Amino acid sequence: MATTATKTTAPAQEQQANGNGNGNGNGNGEQKTRHSEVGRKSLLKSDDLYQYILDTSVYPREPESMKELREITAKHPWNLMTTSADEGQFLNMLIKLIGAKKTMEIGVYTGYSLLATALALPEDGTILAMDINRENYELGLPCINKAGVGHKIDFREGPALPVLDDLVADKEQHGSFDFAFVDADKDNYLSYHERLLKLVRPGGLIGYDNTLWNGSVVLPDDAPMRKYIRFYRDFVLALNSALAADDRVEICQLPVGDGVTLCRRVK
């Protein structure tokens, strides 16, 4: 598969045939819960419990610009690619907790997680954002600009690896980033990891999305899976094993969204 920097999802026709990515739709693509219309990536067994989290703690605190972007994204045929609202809230708080100022995002889609990050950064904070599809990014750009944070974003259309290689070649960029969030092509996660360890400062964080990959990481190899789940599953398993053995980072894997693994650089 070609090197890309875009959020990974099922083809639109497969989503329509199978419902959403966590099996909450039926064979006709009908949805059973209110939250399943977009970003339904929770691994909680109880839909009611997940809805409780959204209604009680997430939606009441969601900035209007993020709500608007979430609703716009819900109408897009590939809306499963978006970051879930609870994960967006988590990223926003994480950025504030570590005092990040210079960040990076690989895989943007319509920019929900990008907006969550931008809103958390100080006025002079920056985000280097990469995706192969500018059209999707521009779908969310009016919401980003309306929120007054568009000036923080340096969007690069195209594959991420060449951009990262250029940064690595510049010694002044080494250790200059406080945070990087990766929600893109799973087959390149390990390639991103090696480069990001040079670019993120010691004590800085790297976040990898989808590290529980629809729960498929614990399924037997002969279990029935959608084609895109099976295709990327081995890459996710390889990433998880590599991160667990990597003494250059401290890790914490969380069941937020579709699984998020945080890596704190220590070497």
Side-chain angles (χ1 to χ4, degrees):
M1 179 168 284
T3 300
T4 60
T6 188
K7 293 182 185 287
T8 308
T9 187
Q13 62 269 28
E14 188 169 336
Q15 293 179 37
Q16 293 168 359
N18 295 288
N20 62 51
N22 278 60
N24 291 309
N26 62 24
N28 296 320
E30 295 174 0
Q31 292 142 348
K32 298 181 179 180
T33 54
R34 284 175 290 159
H35 56 249
S36 65
E37 79 280 1
V38 57
R40 172 50 167 126
K41 297 179 181 179
S42 174
L43 296 169
L44 289 173
K45 292 183 178 180
S46 168
D47 282 342
D48 289 339
L49 184 57
Y50 183 56
Q51 190 66 51
Y52 173 82
I53 293 171
L54 294 176
D55 290 342
T56 304
S57 302
V58 180
Y59 291 158
R61 294 296 190 98
E62 185 179 36
E64 188 61 32
S65 57
M66 290 183 64
K67 177 183 178 182
E68 183 179 354
L69 179 50
R70 176 168 56 84
E71 291 174 345
I72 290 172
T73 304
K75 300 173 184 177
H76 194 275
W78 300 341
N79 61 47
L80 188 61
M81 289 196 294
T82 193
T83 298
S84 60
D86 54 321
E87 186 176 354
Q89 184 185 61
F90 170 73
L91 290 173
N92 182 275
M93 180 172 286
L94 186 65
I95 293 296
K96 294 173 182 175
L97 285 172
I98 67 173
K101 186 173 180 180
K102 183 178 181 181
T103 71
M104 180 189 307
E105 183 160 329
I106 303 175
V108 172
Y109 186 41
T110 61
Y112 187 82
S113 56
L114 188 65
L115 179 55
T117 299
L119 287 169
L121 290 173
E123 184 62 22
D124 59 346
T126 61
I127 312 170
L128 174 60
M130 291 162 275
D131 199 290
I132 61 169
N133 192 321
R134 178 179 289 273
E135 183 178 348
N136 288 337
Y137 167 65
E138 290 183 344
L139 186 65
L141 191 55
C143 297
I144 292 172
N145 288 332
K146 186 186 296 185
V149 293
H151 65 283
K152 301 179 184 180
I153 300 168
D154 176 11
F155 179 82
R156 310 282 184 89
E157 183 179 23
L161 285 176
V163 179
L164 295 178
D165 285 339
D166 287 344
L167 291 171
V168 169
D170 182 356
K171 298 293 185 181
E172 292 186 0
Q173 295 291 338
H174 287 202
S176 66
F177 287 85
D178 301 305
F179 177 74
F181 183 61
V182 184
D183 184 6
D185 41 330
K186 315 311 170 196
D187 44 332
N188 275 314
Y189 268 29
L190 284 173
S191 296
Y192 295 145
H193 185 63
E194 291 304 315
R195 290 157 174 81
L196 290 174
L197 281 177
K198 295 182 174 68
L199 298 171
V200 172
R201 63 173 172 81
L205 292 179
I206 307 169
Y208 293 103
D209 202 16
N210 305 117
T211 59
L212 295 177
W213 200 228
N214 210 243
S216 67
V217 292
V218 297
L219 295 179
D221 291 339
D222 59 353
M225 303 177 207
R226 297 176 189 174
K227 290 181 180 179
Y228 83 103
I229 292 292
R230 184 177 298 281
F231 180 84
Y232 287 109
R233 176 175 174 266
D234 287 346
F235 295 111
V236 174
L237 288 170
L239 172 75
N240 291 339
S241 295
L243 295 181
D246 192 342
D247 64 1
R248 298 169 296 178
V249 295
E250 297 172 336
I251 68 170
C252 179
Q253 189 170 30
L254 302 168
V256 177
D258 192 25
V260 178
T261 299
L262 298 179
C263 301
R264 178 178 178 268
R265 182 186 168 191
V266 295
K267 293 184 180 179

Short mmCIF file of all heavy atoms in Angstrom, two decimals, residues 91 94-96 98-106 113-122 124-130 152-154 164 167 173 176-181 196 199-201 205:
data_model
loop_
_atom_site.label_atom_id
_atom_site.label_comp_id
_atom_site.label_asym_id
_atom_site.label_seq_id
_atom_site.Cartn_x
_atom_site.Cartn_y
_atom_site.Cartn_z
N LEU A 91 -7.88 14.69 24.25
CA LEU A 91 -6.72 15.32 23.62
C LEU A 91 -6.59 16.78 24.05
O LEU A 91 -5.49 17.28 24.31
CB LEU A 91 -6.83 15.23 22.10
CG LEU A 91 -6.67 13.84 21.49
CD1 LEU A 91 -6.97 13.88 20.00
CD2 LEU A 91 -5.27 13.28 21.73
N LEU A 94 -5.23 16.85 27.49
CA LEU A 94 -3.85 16.37 27.50
C LEU A 94 -2.88 17.46 27.06
O LEU A 94 -1.82 17.65 27.68
CB LEU A 94 -3.73 15.16 26.57
CG LEU A 94 -2.39 14.42 26.55
CD1 LEU A 94 -2.10 13.80 27.91
CD2 LEU A 94 -2.40 13.36 25.46
N ILE A 95 -3.24 18.20 26.02
CA ILE A 95 -2.40 19.29 25.52
C ILE A 95 -2.18 20.33 26.63
O ILE A 95 -1.07 20.84 26.84
CB ILE A 95 -3.04 19.95 24.29
CG1 ILE A 95 -3.05 18.98 23.11
CG2 ILE A 95 -2.31 21.23 23.92
CD1 ILE A 95 -1.69 18.59 22.61
N LYS A 96 -3.23 20.63 27.35
CA LYS A 96 -3.14 21.62 28.44
C LYS A 96 -2.29 21.08 29.59
O LYS A 96 -1.50 21.82 30.18
CB LYS A 96 -4.54 21.98 28.92
CG LYS A 96 -5.38 22.71 27.88
CD LYS A 96 -6.81 22.89 28.37
CE LYS A 96 -7.67 23.58 27.33
NZ LYS A 96 -9.09 23.65 27.72
N ILE A 98 0.22 19.00 29.59
CA ILE A 98 1.67 18.95 29.34
C ILE A 98 2.22 20.31 28.92
O ILE A 98 3.43 20.46 28.71
CB ILE A 98 2.03 17.89 28.28
CG1 ILE A 98 1.48 18.27 26.89
CG2 ILE A 98 1.52 16.52 28.69
CD1 ILE A 98 1.96 17.34 25.78
N GLY A 99 1.35 21.31 28.79
CA GLY A 99 1.80 22.64 28.41
C GLY A 99 2.40 22.69 27.02
O GLY A 99 3.35 23.43 26.78
N ALA A 100 1.82 21.93 26.10
CA ALA A 100 2.36 21.86 24.74
C ALA A 100 2.23 23.20 24.03
O ALA A 100 1.26 23.95 24.24
CB ALA A 100 1.65 20.78 23.94
N LYS A 101 3.19 23.48 23.20
CA LYS A 101 3.17 24.70 22.40
C LYS A 101 3.40 24.41 20.92
O LYS A 101 2.80 25.04 20.06
CB LYS A 101 4.24 25.67 22.90
CG LYS A 101 4.22 27.03 22.24
CD LYS A 101 5.19 27.99 22.91
CE LYS A 101 5.16 29.35 22.23
NZ LYS A 101 6.10 30.31 22.89
N LYS A 102 4.23 23.41 20.63
CA LYS A 102 4.53 23.04 19.24
C LYS A 102 4.14 21.57 19.06
O LYS A 102 4.72 20.69 19.70
CB LYS A 102 6.00 23.25 18.93
CG LYS A 102 6.39 22.94 17.48
CD LYS A 102 7.87 23.23 17.25
CE LYS A 102 8.26 22.94 15.80
NZ LYS A 102 9.71 23.18 15.56
N THR A 103 3.17 21.32 18.19
CA THR A 103 2.64 19.98 18.04
C THR A 103 2.58 19.57 16.58
O THR A 103 2.81 20.37 15.66
CB THR A 103 1.24 19.86 18.66
OG1 THR A 103 0.29 20.57 17.84
CG2 THR A 103 1.20 20.41 20.08
N MET A 104 2.22 18.30 16.38
CA MET A 104 2.15 17.74 15.04
C MET A 104 0.98 16.76 14.98
O MET A 104 0.69 16.08 15.96
CB MET A 104 3.45 16.99 14.72
CG MET A 104 3.51 16.34 13.36
SD MET A 104 4.97 15.26 13.17
CE MET A 104 6.31 16.35 13.63
N GLU A 105 0.30 16.71 13.85
CA GLU A 105 -0.78 15.75 13.66
C GLU A 105 -0.63 15.09 12.30
O GLU A 105 -0.57 15.78 11.27
CB GLU A 105 -2.15 16.41 13.79
CG GLU A 105 -3.31 15.43 13.68
CD GLU A 105 -4.61 15.95 14.26
OE1 GLU A 105 -4.57 16.74 15.23
OE2 GLU A 105 -5.67 15.55 13.75
N ILE A 106 -0.56 13.77 12.30
CA ILE A 106 -0.46 12.99 11.07
C ILE A 106 -1.79 12.29 10.86
O ILE A 106 -2.16 11.39 11.61
CB ILE A 106 0.70 11.97 11.14
CG1 ILE A 106 2.02 12.66 11.43
CG2 ILE A 106 0.78 11.16 9.86
CD1 ILE A 106 3.19 11.73 11.65
N SER A 113 -10.01 16.44 15.66
CA SER A 113 -8.93 16.35 16.65
C SER A 113 -7.97 17.53 16.50
O SER A 113 -7.40 18.01 17.49
CB SER A 113 -8.18 15.03 16.51
OG SER A 113 -7.68 14.85 15.21
N LEU A 114 -7.81 18.00 15.29
CA LEU A 114 -6.96 19.17 15.03
C LEU A 114 -7.52 20.40 15.73
O LEU A 114 -6.78 21.17 16.36
CB LEU A 114 -6.87 19.40 13.52
CG LEU A 114 -5.89 20.45 13.01
CD1 LEU A 114 -4.46 20.03 13.30
CD2 LEU A 114 -6.08 20.65 11.51
N LEU A 115 -8.82 20.58 15.65
CA LEU A 115 -9.47 21.71 16.31
C LEU A 115 -9.39 21.57 17.83
O LEU A 115 -9.15 22.57 18.54
CB LEU A 115 -10.93 21.81 15.86
CG LEU A 115 -11.78 22.92 16.48
CD1 LEU A 115 -11.13 24.29 16.29
CD2 LEU A 115 -13.19 22.91 15.87
N ALA A 116 -9.55 20.35 18.33
CA ALA A 116 -9.43 20.12 19.78
C ALA A 116 -8.05 20.53 20.27
O ALA A 116 -7.90 21.14 21.33
CB ALA A 116 -9.70 18.65 20.09
N THR A 117 -7.03 20.20 19.48
CA THR A 117 -5.66 20.56 19.84
C THR A 117 -5.44 22.07 19.73
O THR A 117 -4.86 22.69 20.64
CB THR A 117 -4.66 19.83 18.92
OG1 THR A 117 -4.81 18.41 19.09
CG2 THR A 117 -3.23 20.22 19.24
N ALA A 118 -5.88 22.65 18.63
CA ALA A 118 -5.66 24.08 18.40
C ALA A 118 -6.30 24.93 19.49
O ALA A 118 -5.73 25.94 19.93
CB ALA A 118 -6.21 24.48 17.03
N LEU A 119 -7.48 24.54 19.94
CA LEU A 119 -8.17 25.29 20.99
C LEU A 119 -7.41 25.20 22.33
O LEU A 119 -7.52 26.12 23.16
CB LEU A 119 -9.59 24.75 21.17
CG LEU A 119 -10.58 25.11 20.07
CD1 LEU A 119 -11.86 24.31 20.22
CD2 LEU A 119 -10.89 26.61 20.06
N ALA A 120 -6.66 24.13 22.52
CA ALA A 120 -5.93 23.95 23.78
C ALA A 120 -4.58 24.65 23.79
O ALA A 120 -4.04 24.93 24.86
CB ALA A 120 -5.73 22.46 24.05
N LEU A 121 -4.04 24.93 22.63
CA LEU A 121 -2.72 25.55 22.54
C LEU A 121 -2.78 27.03 22.90
O LEU A 121 -3.81 27.68 22.72
CB LEU A 121 -2.16 25.41 21.12
CG LEU A 121 -1.74 24.02 20.68
CD1 LEU A 121 -1.38 24.05 19.19
CD2 LEU A 121 -0.56 23.51 21.50
N PRO A 122 -1.67 27.58 23.38
CA PRO A 122 -1.63 29.03 23.62
C PRO A 122 -1.73 29.78 22.29
O PRO A 122 -1.63 29.19 21.20
CB PRO A 122 -0.26 29.24 24.27
CG PRO A 122 0.56 28.07 23.85
CD PRO A 122 -0.40 26.92 23.74
N ASP A 124 0.21 31.57 20.63
CA ASP A 124 1.35 31.45 19.73
C ASP A 124 1.76 29.99 19.49
O ASP A 124 2.84 29.70 18.98
CB ASP A 124 2.56 32.23 20.25
CG ASP A 124 3.00 31.76 21.64
OD1 ASP A 124 2.22 31.03 22.30
OD2 ASP A 124 4.11 32.13 22.05
N GLY A 125 0.86 29.06 19.85
CA GLY A 125 1.13 27.64 19.61
C GLY A 125 0.98 27.28 18.14
O GLY A 125 0.32 28.00 17.38
N THR A 126 1.59 26.17 17.73
CA THR A 126 1.56 25.77 16.33
C THR A 126 1.29 24.28 16.19
O THR A 126 1.65 23.48 17.07
CB THR A 126 2.88 26.09 15.62
OG1 THR A 126 3.95 25.36 16.26
CG2 THR A 126 3.18 27.57 15.66
N ILE A 127 0.66 23.93 15.08
CA ILE A 127 0.42 22.53 14.73
C ILE A 127 0.85 22.31 13.28
O ILE A 127 0.37 22.99 12.37
CB ILE A 127 -1.06 22.14 14.83
CG1 ILE A 127 -1.68 22.59 16.15
CG2 ILE A 127 -1.23 20.63 14.66
CD1 ILE A 127 -3.19 22.42 16.19
N LEU A 128 1.75 21.38 13.07
CA LEU A 128 2.08 20.92 11.73
C LEU A 128 1.13 19.77 11.42
O LEU A 128 1.19 18.72 12.06
CB LEU A 128 3.53 20.46 11.65
CG LEU A 128 3.97 19.82 10.33
CD1 LEU A 128 3.81 20.79 9.17
CD2 LEU A 128 5.40 19.32 10.43
N ALA A 129 0.23 19.96 10.46
CA ALA A 129 -0.81 18.98 10.17
C ALA A 129 -0.62 18.42 8.77
O ALA A 129 -0.44 19.16 7.81
CB ALA A 129 -2.19 19.63 10.28
N MET A 130 -0.68 17.09 8.66
CA MET A 130 -0.43 16.43 7.38
C MET A 130 -1.55 15.46 7.02
O MET A 130 -2.00 14.67 7.85
CB MET A 130 0.90 15.66 7.45
CG MET A 130 2.13 16.54 7.54
SD MET A 130 3.57 15.63 8.13
CE MET A 130 3.32 15.77 9.91
N LYS A 152 -2.87 28.96 13.80
CA LYS A 152 -1.97 28.04 14.49
C LYS A 152 -1.59 26.83 13.64
O LYS A 152 -0.66 26.09 13.99
CB LYS A 152 -2.62 27.55 15.79
CG LYS A 152 -3.00 28.64 16.77
CD LYS A 152 -3.67 28.04 18.01
CE LYS A 152 -4.15 29.11 18.97
NZ LYS A 152 -4.79 28.54 20.19
N ILE A 153 -2.30 26.63 12.53
CA ILE A 153 -2.17 25.39 11.77
C ILE A 153 -1.37 25.59 10.48
O ILE A 153 -1.67 26.49 9.68
CB ILE A 153 -3.56 24.82 11.42
CG1 ILE A 153 -4.34 24.52 12.72
CG2 ILE A 153 -3.45 23.57 10.57
CD1 ILE A 153 -5.81 24.25 12.50
N ASP A 154 -0.37 24.75 10.30
CA ASP A 154 0.40 24.68 9.05
C ASP A 154 0.03 23.36 8.39
O ASP A 154 0.56 22.30 8.74
CB ASP A 154 1.89 24.75 9.36
CG ASP A 154 2.77 24.58 8.11
OD1 ASP A 154 2.22 24.62 6.99
OD2 ASP A 154 3.98 24.39 8.26
N LEU A 164 8.42 14.37 7.30
CA LEU A 164 9.15 13.99 8.50
C LEU A 164 10.64 13.82 8.21
O LEU A 164 11.49 14.22 9.02
CB LEU A 164 8.59 12.69 9.07
CG LEU A 164 7.15 12.74 9.59
CD1 LEU A 164 6.72 11.36 10.09
CD2 LEU A 164 6.99 13.77 10.69
N LEU A 167 12.28 17.13 8.15
CA LEU A 167 12.45 17.65 9.50
C LEU A 167 13.60 16.96 10.22
O LEU A 167 14.40 17.61 10.90
CB LEU A 167 11.15 17.45 10.30
CG LEU A 167 9.94 18.29 9.90
CD1 LEU A 167 8.69 17.83 10.63
CD2 LEU A 167 10.19 19.77 10.17
N GLN A 173 15.42 20.89 14.27
CA GLN A 173 14.07 20.39 14.54
C GLN A 173 14.06 19.24 15.54
O GLN A 173 13.02 18.88 16.07
CB GLN A 173 13.40 19.95 13.24
CG GLN A 173 13.15 21.06 12.25
CD GLN A 173 12.09 22.04 12.71
OE1 GLN A 173 11.24 21.72 13.55
NE2 GLN A 173 12.13 23.25 12.19
N SER A 176 12.16 19.36 19.06
CA SER A 176 11.49 20.66 19.07
C SER A 176 9.98 20.57 19.25
O SER A 176 9.33 21.58 19.51
CB SER A 176 11.79 21.44 17.79
OG SER A 176 11.22 20.80 16.66
N PHE A 177 9.42 19.37 19.13
CA PHE A 177 7.96 19.20 19.24
C PHE A 177 7.61 18.69 20.64
O PHE A 177 8.28 17.85 21.21
CB PHE A 177 7.45 18.22 18.19
CG PHE A 177 7.44 18.78 16.79
CD1 PHE A 177 8.59 18.73 16.01
CD2 PHE A 177 6.30 19.37 16.26
CE1 PHE A 177 8.60 19.25 14.72
CE2 PHE A 177 6.30 19.89 14.98
CZ PHE A 177 7.46 19.83 14.20
N ASP A 178 6.52 19.22 21.18
CA ASP A 178 6.04 18.80 22.49
C ASP A 178 5.11 17.60 22.41
O ASP A 178 5.05 16.79 23.34
CB ASP A 178 5.29 19.95 23.16
CG ASP A 178 6.15 21.18 23.33
OD1 ASP A 178 7.23 21.08 23.93
OD2 ASP A 178 5.73 22.26 22.83
N PHE A 179 4.39 17.50 21.29
CA PHE A 179 3.35 16.47 21.18
C PHE A 179 3.13 16.14 19.71
O PHE A 179 3.20 17.02 18.84
CB PHE A 179 2.04 16.98 21.79
CG PHE A 179 0.89 16.03 21.67
CD1 PHE A 179 0.82 14.90 22.47
CD2 PHE A 179 -0.15 16.27 20.78
CE1 PHE A 179 -0.26 14.01 22.36
CE2 PHE A 179 -1.22 15.41 20.66
CZ PHE A 179 -1.28 14.27 21.47
N ALA A 180 2.89 14.86 19.44
CA ALA A 180 2.51 14.42 18.10
C ALA A 180 1.36 13.44 18.23
O ALA A 180 1.37 12.57 19.11
CB ALA A 180 3.69 13.77 17.39
N PHE A 181 0.37 13.57 17.35
CA PHE A 181 -0.78 12.67 17.34
C PHE A 181 -0.86 12.01 15.98
O PHE A 181 -0.86 12.69 14.94
CB PHE A 181 -2.07 13.44 17.64
CG PHE A 181 -3.29 12.57 17.72
CD1 PHE A 181 -3.39 11.57 18.67
CD2 PHE A 181 -4.36 12.77 16.85
CE1 PHE A 181 -4.52 10.77 18.76
CE2 PHE A 181 -5.50 11.99 16.93
CZ PHE A 181 -5.58 10.98 17.89
N LEU A 196 9.54 10.26 14.72
CA LEU A 196 8.99 11.11 15.77
C LEU A 196 9.84 11.09 17.04
O LEU A 196 9.90 12.09 17.76
CB LEU A 196 7.55 10.69 16.10
CG LEU A 196 6.52 10.99 15.00
CD1 LEU A 196 5.17 10.40 15.36
CD2 LEU A 196 6.40 12.48 14.75
N LEU A 199 12.10 13.87 16.73
CA LEU A 199 11.51 15.20 16.63
C LEU A 199 10.81 15.66 17.92
O LEU A 199 10.75 16.86 18.20
CB LEU A 199 10.52 15.24 15.46
CG LEU A 199 11.15 14.98 14.08
CD1 LEU A 199 10.05 14.82 13.03
CD2 LEU A 199 12.10 16.10 13.70
N VAL A 200 10.27 14.72 18.67
CA VAL A 200 9.59 15.06 19.92
C VAL A 200 10.64 15.13 21.04
O VAL A 200 11.53 14.29 21.14
CB VAL A 200 8.51 14.02 20.26
CG1 VAL A 200 7.95 14.24 21.66
CG2 VAL A 200 7.40 14.07 19.23
N ARG A 201 10.53 16.12 21.88
CA ARG A 201 11.52 16.36 22.94
C ARG A 201 11.46 15.26 24.00
O ARG A 201 10.40 14.63 24.20
CB ARG A 201 11.27 17.71 23.59
CG ARG A 201 9.92 17.81 24.30
CD ARG A 201 9.78 19.10 25.08
NE ARG A 201 8.44 19.30 25.61
CZ ARG A 201 7.96 18.74 26.71
NH1 ARG A 201 8.71 17.91 27.42
NH2 ARG A 201 6.72 19.00 27.12
N LEU A 205 5.23 13.90 24.34
CA LEU A 205 4.34 12.77 24.12
C LEU A 205 4.06 12.52 22.65
O LEU A 205 3.99 13.45 21.85
CB LEU A 205 2.99 13.02 24.83
CG LEU A 205 2.97 13.03 26.35
CD1 LEU A 205 1.54 13.31 26.83
CD2 LEU A 205 3.46 11.72 26.92
#
